[in-house]
Amino acid sequence: MLINLRQTAYHCLTFLLLMQWSPAMFAGEGGVEYRVAWDAADERYRVYLRPNSTPTPDLSLTGQITLRVPHGTGEHQFSVTDIQAKTGTSWSLGAHVSAPPEDPSVDYLSFAFTPVDVRAFAFKAGEEQEIFSFKVRAFAFKAGEEQEIFSFKNAGACLGNVELMNNTTDPFNQPPANPKNSMNTNPSNQFANAGWGSSDDNDYLGNYGTPASCAVECLSAPAAPVANSVYYRVEWSNVDQRYHVYMYPGSVPTPNMSLGSQVTLKMPHASDNDRFKVTDIRSATEGIIWSDNSRVDAPLEDPSADYISFTMTPNSPQAFQWQTGKELEIFSFANTGTCIGSVALLDNNSDPFNDLPNSTGTNPGNQFSNLGWGTASDNNYSGNYGCPTMCQAPASIRLQARVMLQGAFDSSTRLMRDTLRIKQQLPMTTPYHLSDLPNTGSQHVASKLLETSGNDAIVDWVLLELRDSTDPTLVKARVTGVVQRDGDIVDSQTGENSFTLNMIEPGNYYLSVHHRNHLAVMSASAIAFGDTTVMVDFSQENTVTYGNHARTLSGKVALLWAGNTRGDEQIIAQGPANDSGSVLSDILLATDNTAYSTNYKLNGYQATDTNLDGLTIFAGPSNDVDLLLGNVLLHPVNSTFSANYIIRQQLP
């Protein structure tokens, strides 16, 4: 009934506005600006509106916001989910245009605004307004002060910046009266409020802020490969201490007649002994010779960088064995200079040194030519993929680790459950805060790892700490990773179970492993780490750990104690600061638990979810209290079965 009243109010007020009110009597000059931002904590895009004056009367009619997002295909396509709108309004995705001819590098997403209440954007703080037989409480707007109007998530990969369309300069935008873009659409940003002019005015003034920058995934293939083209990628290898360059074909050329290629890399500028020095260039394909034929150090366009161009000589034009959807390594090389920063491929479109003619009269652009993709004068290079790559000095250590979490452990399979992954509740960004300590391991999880099932499916985020051999209270480095069902801790981007810690000298260190609602565990003594990978398996009963009863056992499998819902390094069932109370508190204070039911199920990624099933439950089947209470009562040292016994984390 309330919805019908709102709809009736909206139509009636709109009728009165159009039929009885003269805009000239009330309307003033003004309008709104838009901004889009990335919220890393919630992994959401948030869209804001900022008025430059107060409209009189305040009657918002319609609105449209169009975003430009990087174009991708398949699993890499930008996919809008979970739109959350400002109270009193309704925002929906009205149009998704993929890679139009005007700009095939982006998709255009147009969101449309429908006012559930025409006074939803009221500009007087706290004022209550009566509309027929019900009341609404307005949201205050003040000139120059922004408010969030809607937010959403992207179910696809993070491929780059998201930005608002510029009505004036965007090639896909055309005047509304004469839409002539390739899709015959009207993507302009727009807003209409009767208090700022006639009802058919566009009160949108422009954009502010910067593009929304998510955490880009370093993809192992281009997001949207185009036929008759190639893409380049560069990657550093810790194994052989070399840079490797790859190319990815958008299609297989017919006939296969490669004529020439140029690959230009840029790296931090340095001089004398620190200067980047290319040596030992090795072609990955027989019949192809690569050489570094051009070098420009610190050009005027970018004095912070050096540019090195590699070209190929095809003794055999058919040497490249192309396969659809598979990259080819084309060459590798070493650097006898100092490792001082990341190496990246030149971006033909944005690098200032490729704006010809440049200051040195050179032609550094990336290029490839194959007669199967066109003529000899065509450039079949279309872009780069992956990320800039960072060399790693030989002074480093390598380690592997395994751990089992009691909360997720299934004694029948001797594996952990991956319920959080299946329910899509795992955060894309690590829940552990970064510090200025040396840190390895990716901070964001790759989409492809979340799709992996079986023994290698992801269970949750974990954190490893390397501690000083003489004072184990001092943390020397951290490793962020995700733990799989079989206990392997792996990098959240690559899935590799071996971690290399740079800037850490080989030597003896304690190793500890941490989880957000389990008690941490540490090796009993310092372990010798170096260039050879060392495995520390905390799931093995015979792996000696620091302190007493630092883990619990299920048969022969050692598990981290579950139930530390407060994150305070102890498990308490009864008494001050108890963990059971945290579970109950989360349940009773849940937004939707209006009846304050103690057996309410709280869905989500919570520290109070001790059994890691994606639900916090205080009472009833599968509750999260029994596990921690059972740990307290059955602890080997709790001989009197005291309910208020404290299980303390065994770390110095």
Side-chain angles (χ1 to χ4, degrees), residues 361-502:
T362 57
N363 185 18
N366 292 311
Q367 175 265 341
F368 196 93
S369 178
N370 188 296
L371 290 181
W373 287 329
T375 67
S377 60
D378 289 343
N379 185 0
N380 304 125
Y381 161 81
S382 285
N384 306 320
Y385 62 106
C387 289
T389 189
M390 182 71 183
C391 55
Q392 298 174 354
S396 61
I397 66 168
R398 297 172 63 85
L399 65 85
Q400 294 176 338
R402 297 185 77 247
V403 70
M404 285 289 184
L405 307 175
Q406 183 193 24
F409 186 71
D410 185 337
S411 59
S412 62
T413 63
R414 301 173 69 85
L415 298 170
M416 289 182 284
R417 297 179 297 274
D418 58 333
T419 310
L420 297 177
R421 180 195 69 85
I422 293 172
K423 289 187 174 182
Q424 299 182 350
Q425 292 179 340
L426 281 174
M428 297 293 289
T429 303
T430 175
Y432 302 105
H433 297 296
L434 296 179
S435 67
D436 28 355
L437 289 168
N439 193 315
T440 192
S442 302
Q443 307 303 307
H444 308 277
V445 65
S447 300
K448 63 181 179 181
L449 264 65
L450 293 175
E451 297 167 0
T452 302
S453 58
N455 290 5
D456 291 338
I458 294 174
V459 175
D460 204 355
W461 290 91
V462 293
L463 182 71
L464 295 168
E465 288 184 346
L466 211 62
R467 293 167 174 255
D468 187 80
S469 60
T470 57
D471 182 1
T473 64
L474 297 179
V475 179
K476 308 294 288 186
R478 290 189 169 96
V479 180
T480 305
V482 288
V483 63
Q484 298 175 334
R485 292 185 64 203
D486 59 6
D488 288 335
I489 299 173
V490 301
D491 185 270
S492 63
Q493 276 288 320
T494 65
E496 294 291 331
N497 68 346
S498 180
F499 294 92
T500 299
L501 282 74
N502 300 306

Side-chain angles (χ1 to χ4, degrees), residues 174 481 586 640:
Q174 300 291 334
D586 277 10
T640 60

Side-chain angles (χ1 to χ4, degrees), residues 169-181:
T169 62
D170 198 288
F172 189 57
N173 191 38
Q174 300 291 334
N178 187 28
K180 293 182 178 179
N181 64 28

Side-chain angles (χ1 to χ4, degrees), residues 232-279:
Y232 292 143
R233 178 172 75 91
V234 61
E235 182 177 61
W236 168 262
S237 171
N238 291 329
V239 177
D240 59 9
Q241 296 284 298
R242 296 175 63 82
Y243 294 92
H244 295 257
V245 180
Y246 302 84
M247 66 180 177
Y248 187 102
S251 60
V252 175
T254 305
N256 179 19
M257 297 292 290
S258 297
L259 303 182
S261 173
Q262 178 168 277
V263 175
T264 298
L265 300 175
K266 60 184 299 185
M267 60 284 299
H269 172 64
S271 56
D272 301 329
N273 292 333
D274 292 331
R275 186 170 181 260
F276 198 99
K277 301 180 183 69
V278 173
T279 60

